[in-house]
Amino acid sequence: MKNFTNKLPALLGLTVVSGLSAQTTAHPNVIYVFPDQFRNCGLHFWNDDAFKSYVNFKADPTHTPQLDKFAREAVVLSSAQSNCPLSSPHRAMLFTGLYPDANGVTLNCLDKRPVSNLRADVTTISDVFSRNGYDCGYIGKYHLDYPTPNDPQRPGQYVDEREPAWDAYTPKERRHGFNFWYSYGTFDEHKNPHYWDSDGNRHDPKEWSPKHEADKAIEYLTSVRDKNKPFFLVVSMNPPHSPYQSLNDCMEEDFNLYKDIPLSKLLVRPNVNPELTKKQKAAPYYFANVSGVDREFGRILSALKAMGLDKNTIVVFSSDHGETLASHVEDAKNSPYTEAMNVPFIIRYPEKLKPHVSNLLLSTPDIMPTLLTLAGLNDRIPTGVEGTDLSAEFINLKPTKNAPKAVLYIRDADGKKNAEKKTIAYFPVARGLKTERYTLALTIDKKTNKLAEVLLFDDLKDPYQMNNLPVEKNKELFRSLCKLMPELLKKANDPWYREKVLSDIIPYK
Ligand code: CA
């Protein structure tokens, strides 16, 4: 198979519907809060009576009082999936409504990977909001920019002195309509974060990053934004992303909630891998970060309410992907396991959405067109968007016959490298899907393109995915799931569809 370099999607003709004009404040405000690596089962309320009948798993014994209360006022999805459960690919799909091959971000962004870079000509959700009269603010981790040597304080150098460079400074021309900026690329010292503001000045506040970011969000809401406009505010907190090993990573008041509880009582899910002892010991720190994020999210909600903005504001709480913690494999993400793919998705919009729990299978690219429609901008969704507007599925109390039957799973790997050892092509190493009941992941060999591994789980009978069903004994099931693949792959304009990968198994037309 070819190595892929994202050339084809230029043909998609991504343009915005013309005739844009400033909108009035009749359009709702939108706040999108998404901490990094927050697994859906990390939400305490799934253990509560009002919610537990909707899921078949045990949630973590966390304390998330703010999210528990918020969930009762919102539409709560039990089965929202991060199609490619990795930072940069998720963020690109979220903002563009396009799958990775079309938006250019197939792997995490770092300077050694020029292949994974948001296409310059894409129209993002913030572009649309900005062009339609919104004030747009971004706070926190961005991780959607290919690092270049553009440090505003040290011209000609990368902001990240490490090799390879992961962190990035996003200059004005790459901010896609965000007029307020307080952000960085990616950096993992939770109590020593840094940010570049709208003018490129660097700030090193030396405090736990979600607290600092909530303060910034409140400042934006109360005094920074243009109050003659509706606003679109994104807050991207890094915790509960690793590191989660000590009090350097979380607030002591949150750690104290868990420090005296034995690991056996914290790790309640039966799929804990006994070999992952370091990840087991991380549990109280991971949960402390979950509780701290909960508190800071609650502070943003309180500020919104105090300003009387809670009714006409769409508030979303989600995450870029989950965290397998001490289950399955060492890598916390980038796998088809439920703990990695299943993310929180809680959306509150009192004027249009009646609180309820839904098992809607939401894909990441669906979020952009859905939010734009809920905000009254459905006629401004860029042409060529691959995600589906599922706003009706949020307004209805139950998924309709039009609701998605499956979501695509995507995993890419580094492909061809140039003389400078930079990755200039990617290899689409695994594809699969999740239905309401099953998980299927097909991995291919990099040299032969032949099937190398199959993961097949019955998530109804085996919610912790402890029994990989052998294909030989489940031929009919395997065939029926493979039959769903072509349509999903086609919709994503995926290289597997274009190259008819595993055509002996997947029934392409
Ligand atoms: Ca991430």
Side-chain angles (χ1 to χ4, degrees), residues 36-37 86-88 91 108 141 143 241 320-321 333:
D36 194 308
Q37 215 151 307
L86 200 59
S87 248
S88 306
R91 290 155 196 267
N108 271 337
K141 177 174 183 172
H143 205 192
H241 187 285
D320 58 348
H321 51 76
K333 51 210 164 191

Side-chain angles (χ1 to χ4, degrees), residues 198-227:
S198 303
D199 299 318
N201 300 310
R202 180 176 160 138
H203 302 264
D204 291 74
K206 305 265 186 285
E207 63 178 339
W208 193 58
S209 57
K211 183 190 175 295
H212 186 70
E213 289 152 20
D215 285 342
K216 278 286 155 190
I218 293 165
E219 195 181 310
Y220 169 84
L221 293 171
T222 53
S223 58
V224 174
R225 69 189 165 92
D226 179 346
K227 290 188 179 159

Side-chain angles (χ1 to χ4, degrees), residues 52-316:
K52 67 182 176 197
S53 67
Y54 294 95
V55 294
N56 65 345
F57 58 78
K58 266 188 214 168
D60 296 324
T62 53
H63 296 260
T64 55
Q66 301 298 329
L67 285 157
D68 299 352
K69 181 168 173 287
F70 178 65
R72 286 174 166 78
E73 302 164 351
V75 180
V76 182
L77 299 194
S78 58
S79 301
Q81 307 295 339
S82 181
N83 304 74
C84 181
L86 200 59
S87 248
S88 306
H90 173 88
R91 290 155 196 267
M93 285 190 273
L94 167 65
F95 291 136
T96 64
L98 298 169
Y99 283 85
D101 194 84
N103 67 42
V105 183
T106 47
L107 289 154
N108 271 337
C109 296
L110 67 159
D111 75 318
K112 289 260 182 277
R113 275 192 193 125
V115 67
S116 186
N117 193 356
L118 189 65
R119 271 181 39 221
D121 61 340
V122 292
T123 300
T124 69
I125 187 170
S126 45
D127 286 321
V128 179
F129 277 125
S130 174
R131 290 170 193 172
N132 286 278
Y134 274 69
D135 194 87
C136 297
Y138 196 98
I139 296 169
K141 177 174 183 172
Y142 190 53
H143 205 192
L144 190 47
D145 222 355
Y146 174 61
T148 53
N150 68 345
D151 187 332
Q153 279 72 48
R154 304 177 309 157
Q157 296 188 54
Y158 288 94
V159 295
D160 197 336
E161 289 173 23
R162 294 169 302 175
E163 175 78 22
W166 283 74
D167 200 2
Y169 167 67
T170 301
K172 275 185 185 159
E173 64 273 17
R174 295 209 299 262
R175 290 182 197 157
H176 285 279
F178 286 110
N179 51 284
F180 175 76
W181 192 256
Y182 193 80
S183 178
Y184 61 99
T186 176
F187 184 71
D188 294 329
E189 290 181 30
H190 300 328
K191 285 186 172 171
N192 182 30
H194 57 244
Y195 308 87
W196 286 272
D197 65 21
S198 303
D199 299 318
N201 300 310
R202 180 176 160 138
H203 302 264
D204 291 74
K206 305 265 186 285
E207 63 178 339
W208 193 58
S209 57
K211 183 190 175 295
H212 186 70
E213 289 152 20
D215 285 342
K216 278 286 155 190
I218 293 165
E219 195 181 310
Y220 169 84
L221 293 171
T222 53
S223 58
V224 174
R225 69 189 165 92
D226 179 346
K227 290 188 179 159
N228 296 314
K229 295 176 168 183
F231 61 82
F232 173 56
L233 173 65
V234 179
V235 184
S236 172
M237 300 169 179
N238 195 24
H241 187 285
S242 56
Y244 27 46
Q245 273 156 2
S246 75
L247 288 175
N248 289 330
D249 310 318
C250 60
M251 300 293 278
E252 193 165 4
E253 62 184 288
D254 300 317
F255 180 67
N256 287 345
L257 294 167
Y258 306 102
K259 72 178 166 71
D260 297 325
I261 304 173
L263 281 184
S264 60
K265 294 238 163 73
L266 288 177
L267 295 164
V268 294
R269 295 165 66 88
N271 59 358
V272 171
N273 181 342
E275 287 175 13
L276 299 178
T277 50
K278 195 177 167 197
K279 292 296 292 283
Q280 289 175 34
K281 285 180 191 147
Y285 297 99
Y286 179 78
F287 295 161
N289 275 304
V290 162
S291 289
V293 163
D294 174 80
R295 180 183 54 254
E296 301 307 328
F297 175 64
R299 287 177 58 229
I300 297 171
L301 292 181
S302 298
L304 205 61
K305 193 168 185 187
M307 284 182 282
L309 294 172
D310 50 326
K311 296 284 181 293
N312 193 37
T313 299
I314 298 170
V315 182
V316 179

Side-chain angles (χ1 to χ4, degrees), residues 368-418:
M368 180 227 213
T370 298
L371 278 183
L372 287 174
T373 301
L374 287 172
L377 294 170
N378 49 304
D379 59 345
R380 305 298 158 94
I381 295 169
T383 54
V385 157
E386 295 169 336
T388 304
D389 163 24
L390 295 174
S391 55
E393 305 296 340
F394 285 86
I395 293 165
N396 291 318
L397 293 181
K398 274 193 179 150
T400 69
K401 63 176 174 38
N402 299 323
K405 304 286 181 292
V407 302
L408 183 64
Y409 164 67
I410 298 168
R411 178 177 181 150
D412 293 328
D414 287 325
K416 201 176 158 194
K417 298 193 179 187
N418 67 9

